[in-house]
């Protein structure tokens, strides 16, 4: 049973560029959330996708956007990259049914460095 | 506004000792409190979780103590081992929150041999 898989694991981008990160949820899960974890900090919620719709969003600018596909996989896009966007981006998956308190599984993350 | 406050920031414990990490929350709508363990270069992994209808939950060497009136909860690691050296995050979510987590800032635990 595959867990949450993310790609790429590491990448380096230049300020102003755009980046796309990818996530496949744990088998059987239909809800995908994205978190940003800056060095030495706890993960911060970016947004959550369910049924291909963004249904909840944290305090992140519109430069951060996403998508969920019919197979429940998801992408996180960040435009006009800033140095401050350098962080570990974590994908988390869960099952919507009986969602409150359902176990949330995290992937290994994608390390983004903006130079 | 930091909704989940975690302390201490770092902790050094001798092998065999008890590690204690504390968290306090502000939002009374939170009703699910998990702890995550994160090793360097890895994603967070669920360790143990509790709901506010119980005051304590134990799984092996890990225990969560929960004080609803004080809006505090803590993680106790008994018989701490060097392999427990990691960063620990407390988190909280609310029933209506579609399973989105609010994390503390983390505690870096080092268990000395």
């Amino acid at each position: 049973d595959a867990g949450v898989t993310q790609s790429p694991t590491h990448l380096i981008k230049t300020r102003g560029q755009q980046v796309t990160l990818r996530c496949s949820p744990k088998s059987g899960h239909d809800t995908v959330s994205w978190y940003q974890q800056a060095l030495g900090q706890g993960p911060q919620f970016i947004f959550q996708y369910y049924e291909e719709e963004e249904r909840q969003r944290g305090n992140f600018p519109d430069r951060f956007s996403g998508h969920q596909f019919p197979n429940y996989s998801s992408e996180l896009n960040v435009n006009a990259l800033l140095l401050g966007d350098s962080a570990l981006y974590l994908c988390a998956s869960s099952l919507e049914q009986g969602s409150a308190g359902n176990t949330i599984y995290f992937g290994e993350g994608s390390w983004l460095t903006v130079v | 506004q930091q909704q989940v406050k975690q302390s201490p920031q770092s902790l050094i414990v001798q092998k065999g000792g008890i590690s204690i990490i504390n968290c306090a929350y502000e939002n009374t709508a939170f009703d699910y409190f998990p702890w995550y363990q994160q090793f360097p270069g890895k994603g967070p992994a669920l360790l143990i979780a509790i709901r506010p209808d119980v005051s304590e939950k134990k799984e092996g060497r890990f225990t969560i103590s929960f004080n609803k009136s004080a809006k505090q909860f803590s993680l106790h690691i008994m018989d701490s081992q060097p392999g427990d050296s990691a960063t620990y995050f407390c988190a909280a979510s609310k029933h209506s929150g579609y399973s989105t987590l609010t994390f503390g800032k983390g505690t870096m635990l080092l268990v000395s041999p």
Side-chain angles (χ1 to χ4, degrees):
Chain A
D1 180 20
V4 181
T5 57
Q6 293 186 242
S7 64
T9 54
H10 295 81
L11 69 167
I12 300 174
K13 290 287 188 178
T14 304
R15 276 179 299 175
Q17 285 188 316
Q18 179 263 346
V19 67
T20 297
L21 308 178
R22 296 176 177 81
C23 171
S24 293
K26 181 177 171 62
S27 178
H29 283 186
D30 55 10
T31 302
V32 173
S33 301
W34 287 90
Y35 290 78
Q36 180 195 65
Q37 185 177 17
L39 201 61
Q41 299 294 316
Q44 298 287 316
F45 173 71
I46 302 175
F47 43 54
Q48 183 181 83
Y49 278 84
Y50 172 67
E51 291 188 339
E52 303 179 49
E53 296 285 334
E54 180 187 300
R55 69 174 179 182
Q56 196 165 2
R57 188 180 184 92
N59 188 25
F60 279 81
D62 292 344
R63 298 186 297 109
F64 289 77
S65 63
H67 189 78
Q68 186 179 34
F69 299 94
N71 67 352
Y72 306 121
S73 67
S74 176
E75 288 182 350
L76 165 66
N77 299 290
V78 187
N79 295 321
L81 285 167
L82 304 173
L83 295 179
D85 295 331
S86 296
L88 176 66
Y89 288 85
L90 295 163
C91 175
S93 78
S94 57
L95 184 61
E96 164 62 13
Q97 187 175 6
S99 64
N102 273 357
T103 300
I104 299 169
Y105 294 88
F106 284 85
E108 300 288 86
S110 294
W111 283 99
L112 170 65
T113 301
V114 182
V115 297
Chain B
Q1 180 186 15
Q2 187 184 353
Q3 294 197 57
V4 179
K5 295 183 179 180
Q6 183 172 346
S7 62
Q9 191 173 4
S10 62
L11 180 62
I12 300 175
V13 173
Q14 285 196 331
K15 179 181 176 181
I18 303 174
S19 304
I20 301 174
I21 304 171
N22 301 299
C23 282
Y25 62 98
E26 300 170 0
N27 190 339
T28 55
F30 287 144
D31 61 358
Y32 175 67
F33 304 90
W35 285 88
Y36 282 82
Q37 178 189 57
Q38 186 176 31
F39 293 103
K42 301 293 186 182
L46 179 66
L47 198 59
I48 187 173
I50 197 169
R51 294 186 178 279
D53 53 347
V54 296
S55 60
E56 185 175 282
K57 182 174 182 180
K58 183 176 181 179
E59 289 183 3
R61 296 184 295 109
F62 301 92
T63 300
I64 299 179
S65 297
F66 186 83
N67 186 330
K68 187 175 182 178
S69 61
K71 294 188 287 185
Q72 295 175 346
F73 58 110
S74 61
L75 175 69
H76 291 64
I77 306 174
M78 311 300 289
D79 187 26
S80 298
Q81 299 296 312
D84 296 330
S85 297
T87 300
Y88 293 81
F89 293 95
C90 62
S93 70
K94 48 188 176 181
H95 182 82
S96 62
Y98 300 117
S99 297
T100 61
L101 294 167
T102 300
F103 283 86
K105 291 190 173 183
T107 297
M108 192 176 300
L109 171 66
L110 176 63
V111 180
S112 59

